[in-house]
Amino acid sequence: AEAATIFLNILDNMATQAQKDVVLVNAAAAILCIKPELTLAEAIEIARTSLESGAAKKSFEKFLSLASA
């Protein structure tokens, strides 16, 4: 339950900086798998934009709606 709370806090931009940093680096690593031509800094910026704009949360909500259909 605590991990789920932290995860939702990250999606809501209410996490600690350390929690957010871990997610950003992890997401950047995933981005680099599909876009290896990017630098790590570029991938982190894409991840940061997705998280801070709410796009990551919207994607997660869409995933949940499809998974429960």
Side-chain angles (χ1 to χ4, degrees):
E2 183 179 352
T5 299
I6 291 169
F7 181 72
L8 294 175
N9 283 343
I10 292 166
L11 290 177
D12 288 331
N13 287 314
M14 297 174 51
T16 67
Q17 189 61 49
Q19 292 166 336
K20 185 176 175 180
D21 288 346
V22 168
V23 169
L24 290 176
V25 171
N26 188 46
I31 291 167
L32 287 172
C33 288
I34 60 167
K35 293 191 173 237
E37 70 277 7
L38 297 177
T39 66
L40 178 59
E42 290 169 328
I44 289 172
E45 189 54 36
I46 291 169
R48 182 184 320 281
T49 298
S50 178
L51 188 61
E52 291 177 354
S53 71
K57 184 176 180 180
K58 286 179 186 167
S59 292
F60 181 65
E61 290 170 344
K62 183 174 182 178
F63 169 77
L64 290 178
S65 71
L66 293 173
S68 65

